[in-house]
């Protein structure tokens, strides 16, 4: 047997300093499910290092050619430190007496995976499992958290209450709050109770019930034990603050009885925020409006602390068809968050109050314009289409919406229909004026080219500015003339347009470029990065969320860190997703013409470029089209799975993948493997392009809705004008999908031709 601990001592010493970066390429293959390349790698070399053994563990768990028993053997081997051929329980039990190595991130991951396997195989009894878990060093690590939770559970099963107390109290204060979950805290409190310390038990349980991560079953456990100790009716007699913490464990009939017998609950200043939420939630569900309002007035501090909770309560009333009550609740206690206006708009709509519906719908989209469903609802109220005829609302209503909603790409459809309304009303001079500046209202929108195409005659009646880079006014007039199309915009290509970058966008780009410096040297964030590097995203995210809470970071600060982690771990999905989220938070248009490169290259990246180029060339299509589709389908997440079970970067359905694979002679494949997903998806896209005049806009609808549905929709509503066809397309998902994919394609084309990216 070969001792790879010894063979990789140098690696492990450097690991403590540089973490996983020394094996970046290997981990990238694991993270991105590139099992074909990993298999090829190990056909050339034998594993000698911890990182190599771990990558084989992942391969045999997730690759099409993986073998469960081989994986189990590698799990034992990595933890034992030697390559083993025997996978018996005796071999596993040797771990209980061996010297433990330096516990790297990979070691802890493997240790936990092995524990899960040996638990399923019943290789260890409960005492041996306790011994196995106790050998870990307790650190601020999500694996340690899982292991400590399991350890305390096993000790409780064995009624080892003193051990629970000792294990919990021996934890360093620096990691105790993180490692002790609500479940472990409940069991620690029970241990104190069983050992006669009732005061400490009640204190721990009260703290546990206040945690926002506590599950309902844990509340029920505490209630059951409390009832056994103090009597079943004792909880109902508790002071209001403590009683409300137990509400998830009290049945509806008992809650109603409590409300009848204890009216003082509604005028009590509650000590705990969780209790306030439990009480108000039950009052809404039981339709006790007067009591709810008394509670909210008494606890106004909590209303102000989380105004979004009022929106959630109003949403429940709305779902119960209590529209007037939802309106009254929001108007009485709601803040000015977007959810408030959404509830008001939806409720007024159901009550037939058209003017109030429109007013609040516009206010909602002014606060949160990215909801495409409500963007469509706004247009439905402004443009009435019936059997081929179109009626427009007064122009003043269009202008009210235009004034309230920020100038972002998502505003493009409203701008387009506003211009059509002006045209229909015969407002030619006004229309010409707006056509000279429409790009300002919806920079980077899919609709900028639709508007140019529809109104090209009027647009070309005016000459574009000769020097578009002179100032912002000239620039937006020029872009309104050309729609930013590279071939139509020679006076902008290669120019520095920094003077026109949206407010805050340059500063955001600088912060994103410097985000890595916040991670380096920070133990928690470096560990989170390690987990992202090997594809353990949920563990990495849990650490980032924990760090953000501990350091009291804003959501913006947390998302900037996630972009930095995405950059460092080569996790394109997280880089792109959270960069886009930040742009939304700051209301910055994602127009690639007018964004700093540090931002645009992150929201329109080109991962797996060698594969994309290879299969795009093989199928004679543009790689920009492949990226446009990939960005919408998976946002570059290799392991993406949709609700309909579409998989991988190109979101291929298993049945479609099977048919394509058979035709192309692909066997033993996984749709999560980038090579397979990009190869099959590009082939399918090329087929759809060929079937639809090589136009991405048609092909994208077929990719999303199916070629058969596209043919049906063409027969139903196509009259020779694609732009009008897309507005009338009966299936919203495919409408939105086409706009986004084609807009993505324009963005990649612009980045290449404007900025050489």
């Amino acid at each position: 047997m070969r001792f790879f601990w010894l063979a990789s001592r140098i690696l492990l010493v450097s690991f403590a300093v540089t973490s996983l970066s020394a094996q970046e390429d290997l981990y990238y293959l694991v993270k991105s499910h590139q099992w074909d390349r990993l298999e090829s790698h190990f056909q050339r070399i034998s594993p000698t290092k911890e990182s190599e053994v771990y990558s084989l563990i992942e391969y045999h768990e997730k690759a099409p050619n993986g073998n469960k028993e081989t994986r189990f053997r590698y799990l034992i081997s990595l933890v034992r430190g030697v390559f083993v051929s025997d996978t018996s329980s005796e071999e596993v039990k040797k771990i209980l007496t061996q010297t433990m190595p330096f516990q790297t991130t990979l070691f802890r991951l493997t240790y936990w995976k092995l524990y899960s396997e040996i638990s399923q195989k019943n290789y260890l009894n409960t005492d041996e499992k306790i011994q196995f878990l106790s050998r870990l060093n307790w650190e601020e690590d999500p694996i340690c958290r899982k292991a400590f939770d399991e350890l305390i559970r096993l000790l409780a099963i064995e009624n080892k209450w003193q051990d629970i107390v000792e294990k919990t109290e021996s934890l360093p204060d620096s990691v105790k709050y993180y490692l002790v979950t609500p479940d472990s805290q409940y069991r620690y409190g029970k241990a104190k109770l069983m050992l006669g310390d009732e005061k400490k038990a009640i204190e721990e349980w009260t703290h546990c019930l206040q945690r926002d991560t506590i599950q309902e079953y844990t509340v029920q456990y505490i209630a059951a034990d409390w009832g056994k100790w103090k009597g079943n009716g004792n909880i109902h007699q508790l002071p209001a603050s403590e009683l409300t913490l137990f509400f998830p464990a009290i049945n509806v009939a008992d809650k109603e009885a409590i409300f009848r017998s204890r009216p003082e609950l509604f005028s009590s200043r509650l000590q705990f925020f969780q209790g306030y939420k439990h009480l108000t939630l039950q009052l809404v569900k039981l339709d006790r409006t007067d009591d709810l309002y008394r509670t909210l007035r008494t606890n106004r501090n909590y209303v102000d602390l989380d105004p979004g909770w009022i929106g959630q309560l109003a949403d429940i009333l709305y779902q119960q068809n209590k529209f007037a009550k939802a309106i009254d609740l929001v108007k009485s206690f709601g803040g000015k968050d977007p959810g408030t206006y959404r509830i008001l708009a939806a409720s007024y709509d159901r009550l037939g109050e058209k003017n109030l519906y429109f007013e609040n719908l516009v206010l909602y989209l002014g606060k949160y314009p990215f909801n495409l469903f409500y963007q469509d609802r706004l247009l439905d109220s402004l443009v009435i289409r019936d059997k081929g005829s179109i009626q427009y609302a007064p122009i003043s209503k269009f202008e009210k919406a235009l004034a309230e909603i920020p100038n972002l790409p998502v505003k493009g459809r409203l701008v387009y229909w506003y211009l059509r309304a002006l045209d229909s009303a015969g407002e030619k001079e006004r229309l010409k004026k707006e056509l000279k500046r429409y790009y300002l209202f919806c920079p980077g929108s899919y609709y900028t080219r639709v508007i140019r195409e529809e109104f090209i005659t009027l647009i070309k009646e005016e000459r574009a500015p000769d020097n578009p880079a002179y100032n912002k006014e000239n620039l937006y007039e020029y872009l309104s003339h050309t729609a930013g199309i590279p071939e139509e915009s020679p006076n902008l290509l290669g120019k520095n347009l920094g003077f026109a970058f949206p407010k805050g966008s340059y500063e955001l780009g600088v912060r994103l470029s410097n985000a890595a410096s916040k991670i380096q040297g920070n133990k928690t964030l470096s560990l989170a990065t390690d987990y992202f590097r090997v594809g353990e995203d949920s563990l990495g995210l849990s650490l980032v969320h924990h760090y953000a809470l501990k350091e009291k970071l804003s959501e913006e600060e947390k998302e900037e860190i996630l972009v930095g982690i995405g950059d460092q771990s080569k996790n394109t999905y997280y880089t792109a997703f959270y960069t886009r989220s930040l742009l939304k938070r700051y209301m910055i248009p994602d127009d690639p013409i007018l964004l700093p490169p540090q931002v645009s290259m992150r929201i329109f990246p080109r991962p797996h470029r060698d594969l994309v180029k290879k299969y795009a060339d093989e199928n004679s299509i543009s790689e920009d089209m492949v990226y446009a589709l990939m960005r919408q389908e998976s946002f570059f997440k290799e392991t993406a799975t949709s609700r309909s079970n579409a998989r991988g970067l190109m979101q291929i359905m298993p049945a479609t993948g099977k048919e394509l694979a058979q035709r192309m002679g692909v066997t033993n494949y996984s749709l999560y493997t980038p090579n397979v997903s990009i190869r099959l998806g590009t082939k399918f896209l090329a087929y759809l392009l060929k079937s639809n005049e090589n136009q991405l806009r048609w092909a994208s609808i077929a990719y999303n809705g199916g070629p058969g549905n596209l043919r049906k929709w063409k027969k139903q509503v196509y009259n020779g004008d694609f732009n009008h066809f897309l507005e009338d397309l009966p299936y919203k998902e495919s409408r939105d999908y086409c706009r986004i994919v084609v807009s993505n394609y324009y963005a990649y084309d612009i980045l290449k031709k404007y900025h050489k990216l």
Side-chain angles (χ1 to χ4, degrees):
M1 291 189 293
R2 191 144 34 99
F3 285 75
F4 62 84
W5 279 356
L6 297 176
S8 56
R9 281 296 91 185
I10 295 175
L11 169 69
L12 293 179
V13 170
S14 64
F15 192 98
V17 179
T18 61
S19 195
L20 300 180
S21 59
Q23 293 292 324
E24 187 73 49
D25 291 341
L26 194 60
Y27 297 143
Y28 181 66
L29 298 182
V30 170
K31 176 197 74 66
S32 57
H33 284 224
Q34 297 193 61
W35 309 123
D36 48 348
R37 293 179 62 185
L38 200 64
E39 189 173 11
S40 175
H41 175 77
F42 285 109
Q43 286 174 351
R44 300 190 303 271
I45 70 164
S46 296
T48 59
K49 301 173 183 176
E50 182 184 55
S51 56
E52 293 170 340
V53 178
Y54 181 80
S55 68
L56 285 170
I57 290 169
E58 290 290 278
Y59 172 87
H60 285 289
E61 179 182 355
K62 299 168 182 173
N65 294 328
N67 181 283
K68 290 184 178 179
E69 282 306 307
T70 303
R71 174 180 180 269
F72 186 51
R73 179 164 56 84
Y74 278 127
L75 283 169
I76 299 172
S77 297
L78 194 150
V79 173
R80 286 288 321 281
V82 296
F83 287 102
V84 302
S85 56
D86 179 13
T87 58
S88 65
S89 60
E90 288 73 21
E91 188 68 38
V92 170
K93 289 179 181 180
K94 292 178 182 178
I95 297 168
L96 302 178
T97 57
Q98 73 180 33
T99 301
M100 291 287 275
F102 177 70
Q103 295 181 17
T104 64
T105 306
L106 291 188
F107 180 87
R108 286 192 294 269
L109 265 173
T110 306
Y111 203 76
W112 179 251
K113 289 173 186 282
L114 178 59
Y115 175 79
S116 301
E117 286 287 321
I118 59 181
S119 296
Q120 290 178 13
K121 294 177 182 288
N122 294 317
Y123 271 19
L124 302 178
N125 61 36
T126 303
D127 283 339
E128 289 168 334
K129 288 180 181 178
I130 291 170
Q131 187 181 352
F132 185 95
L133 293 168
S134 297
R135 292 172 66 78
L136 277 173
N137 296 331
W138 301 120
E139 299 181 19
E140 195 175 53
D141 182 308
I143 292 298
C144 293
R145 192 182 200 193
K146 289 173 180 284
F148 188 80
D149 211 34
E150 174 69 358
L151 173 63
I152 299 301
R153 185 187 73 84
L154 294 174
L155 290 171
I157 290 173
E158 295 295 298
N159 295 319
K160 296 185 176 182
W161 307 112
Q162 186 61 45
D163 286 352
I164 289 176
V165 170
E166 290 175 359
K167 293 285 187 185
T168 304
E169 293 182 354
S170 66
L171 291 173
D173 290 340
S174 59
V175 300
K176 181 177 289 186
Y177 182 77
Y178 179 73
L179 292 183
V180 180
T181 67
D183 283 1
S184 292
Q185 189 171 13
Y186 149 65
R187 294 186 174 100
Y188 173 63
K190 184 171 183 177
K192 283 291 186 179
L193 188 66
M194 299 302 289
L195 295 172
D197 191 346
E198 179 182 333
K199 181 180 178 182
K200 184 64 175 178
I202 291 174
E203 179 184 316
E204 286 300 322
W205 282 348
T206 303
H207 287 150
C208 183
L209 290 167
Q210 295 173 50
R211 296 177 68 169
D212 57 7
T213 56
I214 192 171
Q215 299 295 312
E216 187 171 316
Y217 67 80
T218 309
V219 180
Q220 291 170 347
Y221 288 158
I222 296 174
D225 285 338
W226 192 296
K228 289 177 185 177
W229 193 260
K230 301 287 255 181
N232 290 330
N234 179 265
I235 289 176
H236 297 188
Q237 305 306 315
L238 289 171
S241 293
E242 286 76 13
L243 171 59
T244 52
L245 292 174
F246 282 100
F247 267 25
I250 301 175
N251 64 46
V252 173
D254 284 348
K255 285 186 191 117
E256 290 180 328
I258 290 170
F259 291 154
R260 287 193 299 270
S261 64
R262 299 191 58 179
E264 78 277 4
L265 283 176
F266 317 123
S267 55
S268 299
R269 287 182 63 85
L270 299 174
Q271 187 177 350
F272 309 120
F273 182 60
Q274 283 298 107
Y276 154 79
K277 292 179 73 173
H278 293 327
L279 176 58
T280 52
L281 178 62
Q282 293 307 314
L283 292 174
V284 166
K285 288 183 175 179
L286 296 176
D287 198 20
R288 300 178 69 98
T289 305
D290 291 342
D291 295 331
L292 172 67
Y293 279 32
R294 286 173 62 195
T295 301
L296 294 174
R297 284 193 291 268
T298 304
N299 294 276
R300 191 79 205 202
N301 57 319
Y302 289 140
V303 175
D304 297 336
L305 177 67
D306 184 10
W309 179 243
I310 297 298
Q312 293 182 52
L313 296 177
D315 225 348
I316 295 171
L317 292 172
Y318 176 83
Q319 297 301 327
Q320 295 173 341
N321 295 326
K322 297 169 184 172
F323 309 120
K325 288 187 175 182
I327 292 169
D328 191 58
L329 175 61
V330 167
K331 293 181 73 172
S332 299
F333 296 98
K336 295 184 178 181
D337 60 296
T340 295
Y341 297 117
R342 179 182 60 81
I343 291 295
L344 288 173
S347 298
Y348 281 127
D349 182 38
R350 296 295 295 271
L351 292 173
E353 298 279 357
K354 292 185 178 180
N355 289 335
L356 289 171
Y357 161 64
F358 176 79
E359 179 182 325
N360 283 281
L361 181 57
V362 169
L363 289 172
Y364 168 61
L365 291 172
K367 297 283 186 180
Y368 189 77
F370 308 104
N371 190 319
L372 294 181
F373 173 79
Y374 281 101
Q375 285 279 2
D376 286 352
R377 294 291 302 275
L378 173 63
L379 262 297
D380 289 341
S381 70
L382 293 171
V383 180
I384 311 300
R385 286 173 288 173
D386 182 34
K387 297 179 181 179
S389 65
I390 298 178
Q391 290 185 323
Y392 295 94
I395 296 298
S396 60
K397 295 191 76 172
F398 280 92
E399 291 175 334
K400 182 179 179 66
L402 286 166
E404 189 70 34
I405 299 173
N407 294 339
L408 295 163
V410 74
K411 189 175 175 178
R413 190 167 184 236
L414 172 63
V415 176
Y416 168 66
W417 279 101
Y418 165 60
L419 296 174
R420 286 183 64 172
L422 289 175
D423 190 33
S424 176
E427 299 269 7
K428 297 300 180 185
E429 292 306 313
R430 203 164 167 188
L431 175 60
K432 284 184 178 182
K433 178 183 175 182
E434 299 294 5
L435 286 172
K436 291 182 69 174
R437 62 172 189 157
Y438 72 86
Y439 199 95
L440 172 66
F441 298 134
C442 54
S445 172
Y446 162 84
Y447 279 95
T448 58
R449 302 197 188 195
V450 174
I451 291 168
R452 185 177 190 272
E453 189 175 330
E454 183 140 338
F455 297 102
I456 188 64
T457 301
L458 286 175
I459 287 172
K460 287 202 168 182
E461 286 181 5
E462 303 288 337
R463 178 174 172 159
D466 293 325
N467 187 4
Y470 178 69
N471 57 28
K472 286 187 179 181
E473 184 179 350
N474 275 22
L475 176 62
Y476 281 111
E477 185 176 341
Y478 186 86
L479 289 171
S480 296
H481 195 273
T482 69
I485 300 169
E487 290 74 16
E488 301 288 336
S489 311
N491 292 347
L492 284 183
L493 301 187
K495 294 289 180 66
N496 182 352
L497 302 179
F499 70 93
F501 288 166
K503 182 180 179 181
S505 60
Y506 178 78
E507 293 79 4
L508 176 61
V510 172
R511 291 200 303 275
L512 295 183
S513 296
N514 294 333
S517 63
K518 296 181 180 180
I519 299 164
Q520 295 167 352
N522 183 291
K523 186 177 179 181
T524 302
L525 296 180
S526 294
L527 179 58
T529 306
D530 289 349
Y531 281 120
F532 278 109
R533 279 199 177 102
V534 293
E536 296 287 348
D537 297 356
S538 62
L539 300 179
L541 278 172
S542 72
L543 271 175
V544 174
H545 294 324
H546 165 67
Y547 176 81
L549 286 172
K550 184 171 68 173
E551 299 298 323
K552 297 181 180 179
L553 301 184
S554 67
E555 285 299 306
E556 291 83 357
E557 290 171 319
K558 183 174 77 172
E559 292 185 348
E560 286 175 17
I561 285 172
L562 284 165
V563 171
I565 288 177
D567 288 348
Q568 282 208 329
S569 62
K570 294 187 178 180
N571 200 314
T572 309
Y573 168 76
Y574 286 93
T575 295
F577 181 87
Y578 286 105
T579 299
R580 182 181 64 174
S581 179
L582 285 162
L583 290 177
K584 288 181 177 181
R585 288 185 183 279
Y586 293 121
M587 297 289 185
I588 296 173
D590 58 351
D591 178 4
I593 295 176
L594 300 175
L595 273 182
Q598 304 100 310
V599 178
S600 57
M601 67 188 293
R602 286 183 167 90
I603 56 169
F604 297 105
R606 295 180 184 270
H608 305 291
R609 192 161 190 179
D610 55 339
L611 294 175
V612 172
K613 186 176 188 324
K614 174 184 177 182
Y615 294 122
D617 289 347
E618 280 186 11
N619 291 282
S620 302
I621 65 175
S622 164
E623 68 176 67
D624 289 345
M625 291 185 179
V626 180
Y627 279 121
L629 202 71
M630 186 189 299
R631 185 177 190 271
Q632 174 59 13
E633 286 290 351
S634 65
F635 223 69
F636 316 110
K637 189 172 186 176
E638 293 90 353
T639 57
T641 304
S642 73
R643 285 175 293 182
S644 59
N645 203 29
R647 302 175 182 180
L649 288 167
M650 303 293 278
Q651 287 292 275
I652 300 170
M653 293 293 290
T656 304
K658 183 178 180 180
E659 182 180 346
L660 288 167
Q662 287 176 344
R663 290 182 181 179
M664 300 169 68
V666 179
T667 58
N668 293 323
Y669 64 90
S670 166
L671 292 175
Y672 296 119
T673 302
N675 185 37
V676 173
S677 184
I678 295 171
R679 182 181 178 186
L680 300 185
T682 303
K683 184 72 174 179
F684 188 44
L685 175 59
Y687 161 74
L688 295 175
L689 285 165
K690 187 175 181 181
S691 305
N692 290 280
E693 306 168 24
N694 286 318
Q695 293 191 31
L696 181 62
R697 55 189 187 179
W698 289 114
S700 64
I701 297 172
Y703 198 100
N704 175 259
N709 279 329
L710 175 59
R711 288 191 291 270
K712 179 180 70 175
W713 294 330
K714 270 188 170 183
K715 289 180 181 178
Q716 288 176 347
V717 295
Y718 184 52
N719 61 6
D721 186 317
F722 177 84
N723 295 326
H724 289 194
F725 161 78
L726 192 61
E727 295 301 299
D728 296 332
L729 189 67
Y731 191 50
K732 173 178 168 53
E733 182 182 319
S734 291
R735 288 200 308 269
D736 292 339
Y737 183 89
C738 173
R739 294 169 187 144
I740 295 171
V741 169
V742 174
S743 182
N744 288 343
Y745 172 68
Y746 294 157
Y748 279 106
D749 188 54
I750 283 167
L751 285 172
K752 186 165 54 182
K753 294 173 180 175
Y754 273 74
H755 307 302
K756 309 298 182 186
L757 294 176

